[in-house]
Amino acid sequence: MDGRAVVVVALVALAGCSIVADGGNPEGPAETLTPAPVPTTAPTDTAAPSPLPPGVMTRGTISPGALAAAHVRAVSGRSYVWTERRRTLTAAGDGNWTVARNRTRTVRLEDGDTYRWSRSRRVVWTGLTLTYRPAIDRYADGDTRYVREADADGPIYRARPATNDSQVLALVAANRVQSYLSLRNASVSVGGVDGERRYWVESRGAGVVDGEYAANYSVGAVVTPDGFVRRLSVTYTTERRGTPTRVEYEYAYRRVGNVSVSPPDWLPEARAAVGGENRSAATAPTTTAGTATTTATGRLVTPRRPG
């Protein structure tokens, strides 16, 4: 974000602040920060390491590349639940906003090739009507990745060999960090969770964000000393095709280091649909464009782009 560099490092009471609304989330609430001593940096010793997270500068500037790289290092090899939500709203003309797109996805990662990934049904406004894209659920058991796609005529199942996706998932979140935390006028506050230090980074203003001009920009993030961005929340307004548009994005990590993934209740049905419960990943069918797949109800379909 453009503007004169300003930093405010202050002790504030952050108890009760919540970026991502818990809403009875079964994965548990997001962290609540409590006050902690403010670190200091000797102003005359430029060689001394900063007490702030990597990429967070003492003059209020965020280096998004350095912070994103630190985030990948910090989260790799750990289990966690990661939830993100993105909403796009357009001006309705009466002072209200209409939801044009809405997507929520949750990843429960035990390790790189054992995880469950769920995406809610997507609402998309075409400019004339609301359309819906089906919900998708993926489960990888270490050998095979199963995909269940909701459909009006019954679920569609696919199977592919499992791959280690821990690095991919870390990079997805790091991409959000790099897109939304490119700041020059950040304020940084410090707090703690269970005796561990956390930094609250926030900024408001206007500028180019994620490739488009953003007005009324507001971003907040909770960052650990090693650069793990545990929570991120963004709102801004822009104009798309001449229509005022509001963008809302947020993500949160929960249960870090304390996740085991259980098979979904639809797994037996999926195994039966793709060719038998004892079929290995090496022989399980994979989906390619134009290849027919059989649903659990026996319906033959041409699959969409593989999930």
Side-chain angles (χ1 to χ4, degrees), residues 43-98:
T44 58
D45 186 2
T46 58
S50 170
L52 298 173
V56 179
M57 310 301 181
T58 55
R59 294 183 179 180
T61 301
I62 305 296
S63 171
L67 183 56
H71 176 83
V72 172
R73 291 193 299 268
V75 77
S76 295
R78 306 171 83 170
S79 65
Y80 53 77
V81 176
W82 182 67
T83 302
E84 70 167 351
R85 187 186 71 176
R86 183 190 300 275
R87 289 206 313 166
T88 303
L89 304 96
T90 57
D94 57 0
N96 295 315
W97 297 91
T98 299

Side-chain angles (χ1 to χ4, degrees), residues 27 108-110 114-117 137-141 255 259-267:
E27 306 300 344
R108 297 170 182 84
L109 178 75
E110 182 175 332
T114 304
Y115 59 87
R116 186 171 177 185
W117 182 103
D137 203 356
R138 301 175 187 167
Y139 170 71
D141 61 4
R255 297 177 55 193
V259 174
S260 59
V261 177
S262 300
D265 55 8
W266 51 261
L267 182 60

